[in-house]
Amino acid sequence: GCVVDVPAYNSLLEALCNGGDFDEAYAMFRDMASKGFTLDANTYSIFIRSYCKRDNIHSIFRVLDRMKRYNLVPNLYTYNCIIKRLCANQKVEEAYQLLDEMIKAGVNPDTWTYNTIQAFHCDHCEVNRALRLLSQMEKENCKPDRHTYNMLLKMLIKIGRFDKVEEVWDSMPRRGFYP
């Protein structure tokens, strides 16, 4: 006699996806739609996060496109999962495109979002891009944290750019971070 609604279905979908029973989750998803339920951003985000874990970038973007058709916007956590997967697959340009898209959609990136991309730049010793990203964080009113600065300073020291080490170190208090 209980009423099953979209949040209840979403909980079941997430449990199925986390348990690895993706076929059953997709069957339930189709069943929800056939029963006339209005699927929400959380429903689609469950599948996106599951595709991220399975490293299925093609399916991630297929679901994102479907969400756009229904004027649904992923939440910050879902965007962060996608950006992390893109960077892990050496697709940093796509990560930047998604960053721009999320800002336009009204989802404010957090430090974790930027640090994911920053880690890519630091791992690849891309000094200029890493410094531009730090400036972008400031422009978007997102405060760098200890991890942001540790990655950046470690990279600069590793490649011997002590002039930039000093510049970054001196800029930290201006950005609200005190070593």
Side-chain angles (χ1 to χ4, degrees):
C2 295
V3 176
V4 180
D5 57 5
V6 173
Y9 267 116
N10 286 348
S11 295
L12 292 170
L13 285 173
E14 190 149 24
L16 289 169
C17 286
N18 288 341
D21 197 350
F22 200 74
D23 292 334
E24 182 67 28
Y26 191 69
M28 184 181 291
F29 174 81
R30 285 193 320 266
D31 187 50
M32 289 171 66
S34 71
K35 289 181 179 176
F37 284 99
T38 302
L39 306 176
D40 61 13
N42 290 329
T43 308
Y44 290 102
S45 292
I46 290 165
F47 284 96
I48 289 173
R49 291 190 304 269
S50 179
Y51 287 135
C52 285
K53 290 176 189 173
R54 297 169 67 194
D55 197 16
N56 190 337
I57 292 175
H58 177 72
S59 294
I60 290 168
F61 282 99
R62 200 173 65 233
V63 175
L64 277 176
D65 288 341
R66 193 172 194 179
M67 289 180 77
K68 287 177 192 173
R69 283 196 306 265
Y70 295 113
N71 294 319
L72 297 172
V73 178
N75 62 23
L76 176 64
Y77 177 69
T78 301
Y79 272 122
N80 283 347
C81 288
I82 301 167
I83 287 172
K84 181 178 181 181
R85 179 53 47 207
L86 289 170
C87 289
N89 284 298
Q90 310 297 311
K91 296 183 179 294
V92 74
E93 296 310 320
E94 288 89 339
Y96 272 105
Q97 289 172 358
L98 197 62
L99 180 65
D100 291 341
E101 180 182 307
M102 69 189 284
I103 292 169
K104 287 177 188 165
V107 179
N108 294 324
D110 62 2
T111 306
W112 196 94
T113 313
Y114 287 106
N115 281 351
T116 301
I117 299 171
Q118 189 69 280
F120 179 90
H121 293 316
C122 290
D123 289 346
H124 293 85
C125 297
E126 298 174 350
V127 175
N128 293 333
R129 294 194 80 185
L131 293 173
R132 277 195 305 268
L133 188 62
L134 184 65
S135 295
Q136 183 176 348
M137 288 178 77
E138 185 174 35
K139 183 181 129 202
E140 296 293 333
N141 294 317
C142 182
K143 286 191 174 190
D145 64 4
R146 174 178 47 92
H147 188 59
T148 311
Y149 286 114
N150 284 342
M151 285 188 294
L152 192 52
L153 292 169
K154 182 178 177 182
M155 173 197 57
L156 293 169
I157 291 168
K158 176 182 169 185
I159 63 172
R161 291 296 305 270
F162 298 104
D163 58 323
K164 292 294 181 185
V165 170
E166 188 175 340
E167 182 182 312
V168 170
W169 185 268
D170 290 344
S171 76
M172 291 164 71
R174 180 177 49 80
R175 291 187 169 111
F177 187 84
Y178 301 90

